[in-house]
Amino acid sequence: VNYVPQHPVKHPRKPGVVRPVNDCSAEKHGVSLNKVVLPGPDLTTRMVHVLQRFRLYPYIVSGDIKGMYNFVMVPEEQRDCLRFLWYEDGKLDGPIVVYRMRTHCFGGSWCPCAAIYVLLKLAELFGAEHLEQTIVALLKEFYVDDWLHANVTIPKTIDVMVDLQSVLKRVSFNLTKFIAYHKDILASVEPSKLAKSLTNVNL
């Protein structure tokens, strides 16, 4: 049986955060999960297009969907492909047991396609209920989980930011780590949703 190796990874800029990363490129007898899985079409918005739109208007804001892949479910019949060995109940001195991922994971070549598809589907299903600029944001302003937005006025920037959070909540996506360069935009954001680097900044 092939298992997907899973490693706890720490980032020096994110103290206290441990992220499980699945090594879907690990090979056994020359075969890895990433080699045999269908990655799906490349749905990623071109980075240059995102950045060009970001430079069009004076009022800008950015955000990040927290743990995006981990909120996109894997169909139950496909979860055996994502078995991994880990310590029972997360206790590092406990026995090693077999788990299955129920959501998509960091490290799979197919995961960006699956996650971005959710954004496109949100635009398709709920476009009529939200601002036109919000739908444009879903379709053209995300680079996977990172959002960059520019607008002509502060109120319009805030409206899109609030409306976008609303539509993302439909699938439990949490848009957070907001950065903006105007105090009125920042004032409209819950302090817990600001990027840590801006928590104590006085503009």
Side-chain angles (χ1 to χ4, degrees):
V1 175
N2 283 331
Y3 293 99
V4 179
Q6 187 176 79
H7 310 287
V9 175
K10 294 184 178 181
H11 195 288
R13 294 183 183 177
K14 299 178 180 179
V17 176
V18 178
R19 173 173 288 176
V21 175
N22 297 272
D23 189 356
C24 301
S25 296
E27 295 186 5
K28 184 176 182 181
H29 304 307
V31 178
S32 71
L33 182 59
N34 276 347
K35 278 188 174 180
V36 297
V37 75
L38 294 173
D42 182 4
L43 301 179
T44 307
T45 307
R46 301 278 74 81
M47 174 67 84
V48 66
H49 296 166
V50 175
L51 292 175
Q52 285 176 336
R53 295 180 63 84
F54 191 56
R55 294 170 63 91
L56 286 176
Y57 304 110
Y59 299 103
I60 58 177
V61 63
S62 70
D64 173 89
I65 298 176
K66 184 177 180 180
M68 185 183 195
Y69 294 172
N70 298 138
F71 287 89
V72 182
M73 301 297 290
V74 176
E76 188 166 358
E77 66 274 13
Q78 297 176 14
R79 292 175 188 172
D80 278 339
C81 296
L82 293 175
R83 286 175 290 185
F84 64 94
L85 303 174
W86 196 244
Y87 301 97
E88 190 172 22
D89 297 325
K91 297 176 181 177
L92 300 185
D93 57 349
I96 295 176
V97 295
V98 178
Y99 289 96
R100 300 190 310 168
M101 292 290 292
R102 294 191 301 168
T103 62
H104 292 283
C105 56
F106 294 91
S109 61
W110 68 93
C111 295
C113 176
I116 295 168
Y117 177 80
V118 175
L119 297 179
L120 303 182
K121 199 67 178 176
L122 281 172
E124 176 188 330
L125 293 176
F126 304 110
E129 301 175 31
H130 292 271
L131 297 173
E132 182 179 346
Q133 284 187 304
T134 299
I135 304 310
V136 171
L138 290 170
L139 296 174
K140 297 183 178 182
E141 295 179 355
F142 275 93
Y143 187 78
V144 190
D145 59 347
D146 293 312
W147 176 54
L148 296 176
H149 176 73
N151 217 314
V152 291
T153 68
I154 292 172
K156 287 186 176 182
T157 305
I158 294 172
D159 286 346
V160 172
M161 185 169 58
V162 171
D163 195 44
L164 182 59
Q165 291 179 80
S166 174
V167 69
L168 290 173
K169 280 182 180 178
R170 291 177 180 267
V171 290
S172 299
F173 281 172
N174 179 21
L175 190 61
T176 185
K177 295 183 183 177
F178 287 104
I179 297 175
Y181 298 101
H182 196 286
K183 58 183 176 59
D184 291 344
I185 298 175
L186 292 176
S188 70
V189 179
E190 296 175 27
S192 62
K193 283 181 167 267
L194 291 173
K196 288 185 178 179
S197 59
L198 289 182
T199 303
N200 297 312
V201 172
N202 183 359
L203 295 181

